[in-house]
């Protein structure tokens, strides 16, 4: 199995930066809080670069620019200007460049085992009530359920694709709750689902692809999208 060098090198470099910053070896003094947020954002940037997740890349750079506005000489740019530009840039780049995990598009059930062998961030969830939290990474999840009731999906500074095409709704009603912040979430839904959306959008982007059929179980999608992207795709 191929060794993952990113996190060991990142943690070692983080320790060096933390110590040297407190010893005053940098010309620009860094507080512990600044170092902490810098390490988090750099980790997010590295993970996003690996999978070409445009939202993660752009917003990581944007927040780093806000933190280091003074040494970069961009103090005239207020944070909302930087974040607004980052939002527009991330949406535009996401339309042009798809994340690398797109090539693992599912076509048949027997492909699942192959996915798990080739990508550690791909998995299957067998549950009627799904709870999924994804942060600082990219994931693909396949939901299997004979009596699907609900799903709670939290995506923060990450990218996620969730497939519901192997799900049965027995009571003709289910709920999907989403919370997307500084990331992207794609929901792949059966065309037979009659979806009602109740989503709070704060400087984010919500879109729908495909056309559902006129009859089928009712599904409510609620929650919020903040500085992120939600795509609902009928398959």
């Amino acid at each position: 199995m191929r060794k993952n060098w990113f996190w060991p090198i990142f943690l070692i470099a983080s320790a060096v930066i933390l110590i040297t910053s407190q010893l005053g070896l940098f010309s620009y003094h860094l507080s512990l809080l600044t170092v902490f947020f810098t390490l988090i954002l750099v980790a997010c940037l590295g993970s996003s670069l690996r999978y070409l997740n445009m939202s993660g890349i752009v917003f990581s750079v944007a927040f780093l620019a806000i933190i280091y506005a003074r040494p970069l000489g961009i103090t005239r740019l207020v944070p909302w200007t930087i974040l607004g530009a980052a939002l527009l840039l991330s949406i535009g780049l996401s339309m042009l460049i798809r994340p690398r995990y797109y090539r693992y598009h599912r076509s048949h059930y027997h492909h699942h085992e192959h996915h798990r062998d080739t990508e550690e961030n791909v998995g299957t969830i067998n549950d009627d009530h799904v709870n999924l939290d994804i942060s600082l990474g990219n994931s693909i999840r396949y939901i299997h359920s004979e009596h699907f009731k609900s799903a709670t999906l939290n995506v923060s500074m990450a990218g996620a694709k969730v497939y519901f095409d192997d799900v049965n709704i027995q009571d003709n009603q289910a709920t999907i709750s989403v919370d997307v912040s500084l990331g992207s979430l794609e929901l792949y839904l059966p065309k037979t689902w009659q979806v009602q959306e109740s989503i709070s959008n704060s400087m984010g982007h919500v879109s729908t692809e495909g056309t559902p059929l006129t009859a089928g179980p009712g599904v409510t999608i609620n929650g919020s999208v903040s500085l992120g992207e939600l795509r609902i795709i009928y398959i």
Side-chain angles (χ1 to χ4, degrees):
M1 182 171 58
R2 186 176 60 183
K3 193 174 186 65
N4 186 352
W5 292 99
F6 174 78
W7 285 110
I9 294 175
F10 171 76
L11 293 173
I12 294 172
S14 300
V16 173
I17 293 174
L18 180 61
I19 294 174
T20 54
S21 65
Q22 295 306 301
L23 290 176
L25 299 181
F26 291 151
S27 58
Y28 179 74
H29 178 69
L30 301 176
S31 66
L32 285 175
L33 189 60
T34 300
V35 173
F36 173 76
F37 281 114
T38 299
L39 299 179
I40 293 296
L41 291 170
V42 170
C44 179
L45 178 60
S47 177
S48 299
L49 284 171
R50 177 184 177 187
Y51 295 99
L52 294 181
N53 180 3
M54 292 298 106
S55 297
I57 294 172
V58 171
F59 278 104
S60 296
V61 173
F63 278 105
L64 286 171
I66 292 173
I67 294 175
Y68 294 97
R70 182 173 298 177
L72 291 174
I74 56 173
T75 54
R76 295 181 61 183
L77 295 176
V78 297
W80 287 115
T81 300
I82 297 176
L83 292 177
L87 174 63
L88 297 175
L89 186 60
S90 65
I91 294 174
L93 290 175
S94 296
M95 293 178 178
L96 295 173
I97 304 173
R98 295 300 186 188
R100 288 178 178 173
Y101 52 72
Y102 268 70
R103 67 180 182 271
Y104 297 101
H105 183 74
R106 172 192 177 190
S107 59
H108 297 288
Y109 173 78
H110 66 269
H111 288 175
H112 289 188
E113 290 299 328
H114 173 69
H115 286 160
R116 285 196 293 270
D117 290 339
T118 57
E119 277 295 306
E120 61 183 1
N121 66 334
V122 178
T124 301
I125 299 176
N126 297 279
D127 203 337
D128 298 336
H129 299 275
V130 177
N131 289 285
L132 182 60
D133 292 285
I134 299 175
S135 60
L136 297 178
N138 296 276
S139 299
I140 302 174
R141 293 294 181 268
Y142 299 97
I143 311 302
H144 292 211
S145 174
E146 292 296 328
H147 305 279
F148 178 69
K149 302 292 184 180
S150 66
T152 300
L153 311 175
N154 300 312
V155 179
S156 177
M157 302 181 72
K161 297 171 65 176
V162 183
Y163 287 84
F164 289 89
D165 54 323
D166 196 19
V167 163
N168 292 320
I169 301 177
Q170 296 294 328
D171 298 329
N172 292 322
Q173 187 62 47
T175 302
I176 300 176
S177 300
V178 301
D179 185 359
V180 183
S181 59
L182 296 176
S184 62
L185 172 62
E186 299 178 10
L187 303 178
Y188 289 81
L189 310 180
K191 290 184 177 181
T192 55
W193 285 12
Q194 307 302 300
V195 174
Q196 293 184 346
E197 299 178 20
S198 179
I199 301 171
S200 174
N201 186 358
S202 177
M203 297 185 66
H205 179 65
V206 180
S207 63
T208 301
E209 299 180 15
T211 303
L213 302 178
T214 57
V219 177
T220 300
I221 300 179
N222 57 38
S224 64
V225 178
S226 178
L227 294 173
E229 180 182 16
L230 172 64
R231 297 176 64 210
I232 300 172
I233 304 168
Y234 292 101
I235 57 177

